[in-house]
Amino acid sequence: MVRITEQEFRQFADYIKSNYGIYFKDEKKTLIEGRLGNLMSSLNFKSLTEYMHYVKSDKTGQAASVMLNKITTNHTFFMREPAHFQYFKDMVLPYLSKTVRDKDLRIWSAACSSGEEPYTLAMIIDEFFGPAKIGWDTKILATDISQAVLSVAKAGIYSSERIKDLPESWIRRYFKNHDSENYIISEKIRNEVIFSSINLMDHTFPFRRKMHVIFCRNVMIYFDNETKERLAERLYDITEPGGFLFIGHSESLNRDRTRYKYVMPAVYRKE
């Protein structure tokens, strides 16, 4: 396995933070060595410096995608942090259904990983509106920096183990048997989610209109305070007045510094 020098690790950590916002402390050197070491060996690179030159010179972005997939934890599951989904169903959707005049519901699942979050939102929306959904644009934008997890998300195939905590009625209505061990999300729900690659560190987001709801959960844990506050400010700017931001339960915004108003744990609102 390729070993990483202290200097290489610091250069690597600085590059990752400036380009992707992810902050690695010095003690994470062993973790990065473990996650990238075998990959670098398999590609016949003798050092992290060589490997990073390869990543930076790959104009397709595929090498960077593989690297990011190795160094981040794309851990998610259906109904993760269920209080958020309950609040979205009981409070957010009733409010938006009455106040969004043009019936264009704009919801962004940022850092969507393998797709469980946006598909859950799509199922909640479908159940909430029922037949009244006709005439509404309820498509959800789901983005991630990793092409690898986006490919999994787009396929919409999940093992029976991964969907076991969903309501039985949802499994019957929104899933089909794919093979003996896996289910596939129904085309109706898959068509409600638009997947795209977005780096949350980009200076501008490619949206023509502001969002009513942003789910940006369990990604700020990778950022230092300065990066987190800067991202929260940019998210605020693209949130509609009255709109909501959901972050992870292990995350919080500094209430003295953010323009968002605190609603409940890990839920904020633009007034």
Side-chain angles (χ1 to χ4, degrees), residues 89-102:
K89 175 185 174 183
D90 294 344
M91 304 300 292
V92 176
L93 285 178
Y95 165 75
L96 293 176
S97 67
K98 293 183 180 70
T99 56
V100 178
R101 300 293 176 205
D102 58 3

Side-chain angles (χ1 to χ4, degrees), residues 159-193:
S159 68
S160 53
E161 177 67 20
R162 289 174 74 178
I163 69 169
K164 66 179 173 56
D165 293 330
L166 291 177
E168 188 61 39
S169 60
W170 281 17
I171 296 173
R172 287 198 305 270
R173 192 183 314 159
Y174 300 126
F175 290 81
K176 297 176 183 176
N177 286 102
H178 180 66
D179 54 36
S180 61
E181 297 175 358
N182 298 291
Y183 287 79
I184 185 167
I185 297 261
S186 69
E187 194 172 345
K188 174 185 182 180
I189 294 299
R190 272 185 292 147
N191 287 342
E192 285 292 298
V193 183

Side-chain angles (χ1 to χ4, degrees), residues 89-243:
K89 175 185 174 183
D90 294 344
M91 304 300 292
V92 176
L93 285 178
Y95 165 75
L96 293 176
S97 67
K98 293 183 180 70
T99 56
V100 178
R101 300 293 176 205
D102 58 3
K103 294 191 171 184
D104 178 16
L105 204 58
R106 295 184 296 280
I107 298 171
W108 179 21
S109 169
C112 69
S113 189
S114 45
E116 286 91 336
E117 178 180 273
Y119 285 138
T120 299
L121 294 172
M123 290 185 280
I124 291 171
I125 290 169
D126 187 75
E127 190 172 67
F128 174 82
F129 280 101
K133 195 166 82 166
I134 295 171
W136 280 83
D137 181 352
T138 56
K139 284 188 167 54
I140 295 162
L141 174 66
T143 67
D144 202 278
I145 200 169
S146 167
Q147 295 289 352
V149 294
L150 285 173
S151 295
V152 173
K154 288 175 186 175
I157 298 169
Y158 302 97
S159 68
S160 53
E161 177 67 20
R162 289 174 74 178
I163 69 169
K164 66 179 173 56
D165 293 330
L166 291 177
E168 188 61 39
S169 60
W170 281 17
I171 296 173
R172 287 198 305 270
R173 192 183 314 159
Y174 300 126
F175 290 81
K176 297 176 183 176
N177 286 102
H178 180 66
D179 54 36
S180 61
E181 297 175 358
N182 298 291
Y183 287 79
I184 185 167
I185 297 261
S186 69
E187 194 172 345
K188 174 185 182 180
I189 294 299
R190 272 185 292 147
N191 287 342
E192 285 292 298
V193 183
I194 299 165
F195 290 102
S196 183
S197 177
I198 286 182
N199 183 348
L200 292 174
M201 292 301 103
D202 287 344
H203 295 302
T204 56
F205 295 129
F207 308 140
R208 293 195 303 275
R209 303 184 68 186
K210 294 182 178 181
M211 296 290 167
H212 296 110
V213 184
I214 299 172
F215 276 74
C216 187
R217 304 191 302 167
N218 303 302
V219 65
M220 293 189 197
I221 52 173
Y222 292 110
F223 302 160
D224 62 11
N225 286 333
E226 182 190 348
T227 305
K228 184 166 68 173
E229 287 179 6
R230 197 163 60 238
L231 174 60
E233 287 300 288
R234 292 170 58 234
L235 293 176
Y236 184 91
D237 288 337
I238 61 158
T239 303
E240 283 280 7

